[in-house]
Amino acid sequence: MIGDKKVLFSGMQATGNLTLGNYLGALMNWVKLSDEYECFYSVVDMHSITVRQDPAELRARARKLLMLYIAAGLDPEKNCIYFQSHVSGHAELAWILNCFTYMGELSRMTQFKDKSAKHADNINAGLFTYPVLMAADILLYQADVVPVGIDQMQHLELTRDIAQRFNGIYGDVFTVPEPYIGKVGAKIMSLQDPSKKMSKSDENPNASIYLMDDPDTIMRKFKRAVTDSLGAVRYNEEEQPGICNLIDIYVACTGKTREETVAEFDGKGYGDFKTAVGESVVERLRPLQERVADLAKNKDYVDRIIKENAEKAQYASSKTLRKVQKKVGFPEKIR
Ligand code: ATP
Ligand code: LTN
């Protein structure tokens, strides 16, 4: 608790361009929850270097992502929006938690298996201990709740296990966090292969809607989206995964229910439906894109936010870190 509010932590990597999946599965829920909780939203740049990055590109992307958090509707005066690498406690706590995490646990992580298959020439120790850094992010702020997409559930379970293990040895040091998975949009699928999640690292640009795509591109990608030959807009996961995905996108963007959507397009063709879905996405993204353009012009403002929020995060995290250091037996600093 900070004051009378529970604490929320979440983060995203600044690798690749953000997709509609990232927005509907994560960012949109962040905005929804931001009034209710004391929130920390981090651009997790330290996680990004687990795969090789171009330094100038990473720097630019990280800043763009931070602006996107603000543009999506997170007020940076109320929510702590900051770069992970600006707060030393993340790395310090991660080291300690490494000593409370088993090799066997980390070997079971599907993200590790996927990423090491994809980057077979660079299976580094950071990629392996990635979930421990993520646990440190969350536990450092004593977060009660962590909004993520379904793909991050396994990492969150591990975070809970590490927290409980540590608490079992040293007493109640960490809050054990709960995941928050949104009702709609928790898993947006690729527009080209509805059995795969929409991902910013997909090589086919038609598979994903990027948050900065212009309206024509968005409409074109929806027109090309893979569906089926049944020709009816129904929520039938077995036989119509492509249509189900489009329904979910429409539901998330318009606030309508699945049933209302199916009723609205009863008797209409896929062409009409795809156009409506595309338009709902264009309308959703328009204000966000306008705000990003404004922020990009306002360097001093963004710089101030970056500085003040890093200080705020450093301060908020230092109490837990000191407590943990003391518990494990590090000698106290002489001040
Ligand atoms: P990459 O493909 O590079 O691994 P990603 O697109 O999966 O990246 P992340 O940075 O791993 O994105 O995820 C950021 C947040 O967005 C996480 O909370 C994740 O659960 C959520 N997310 C990512 N993809 C989707 C998706 N297709 N549907 C819903 N949520 C998603
Ligand atoms: N692993 C997450 C990003 C991430 C995160 C976190 C999410 C790093 N630290 C803490 C929630 C809480 C991802 O790849 N999406």
Side-chain angles (χ1 to χ4, degrees), residues 9-13 44 47 84 111 115 130 133-134 137-138 146-148 151-152 155-156:
F9 186 97
S10 201
M12 255 188 226
Q13 294 196 63
V44 293
H47 278 103
Q84 185 187 30
Q111 184 172 303
K115 294 225 163 155
Y130 175 115
L133 179 58
M134 176 160 164
D137 297 342
I138 297 166
V146 182
V148 282
D151 62 308
Q152 292 300 312
H155 288 162
L156 213 66

Side-chain angles (χ1 to χ4, degrees), residues 100-146:
F100 293 84
T101 310
Y102 299 113
M103 302 282 284
E105 290 175 308
L106 293 174
S107 322
R108 283 196 290 276
M109 295 293 119
T110 47
Q111 184 172 303
F112 172 69
K113 290 190 224 167
D114 292 350
K115 294 225 163 155
S116 34
K118 217 161 149 188
H119 305 278
D121 56 337
N122 181 22
I123 306 177
N124 60 70
L127 194 61
F128 191 62
T129 60
Y130 175 115
V132 184
L133 179 58
M134 176 160 164
D137 297 342
I138 297 166
L139 301 180
L140 199 51
Y141 298 91
Q142 304 287 1
D144 296 279
V145 67
V146 182

Side-chain angles (χ1 to χ4, degrees), residues 10-13 15 19 21-26 30 111 115 118 130 147-152 185-189 197-202:
S10 201
M12 255 188 226
Q13 294 196 63
T15 37
T19 70
N22 299 127
Y23 179 68
L24 299 180
W30 295 8
Q111 184 172 303
K115 294 225 163 155
K118 217 161 149 188
Y130 175 115
V148 282
I150 284 171
D151 62 308
Q152 292 300 312
K187 196 164 186 192
I188 300 298
M189 309 311 277
K197 79 161 190 161
M198 186 181 285
S199 158
K200 51 180 143 69
S201 47
D202 201 309

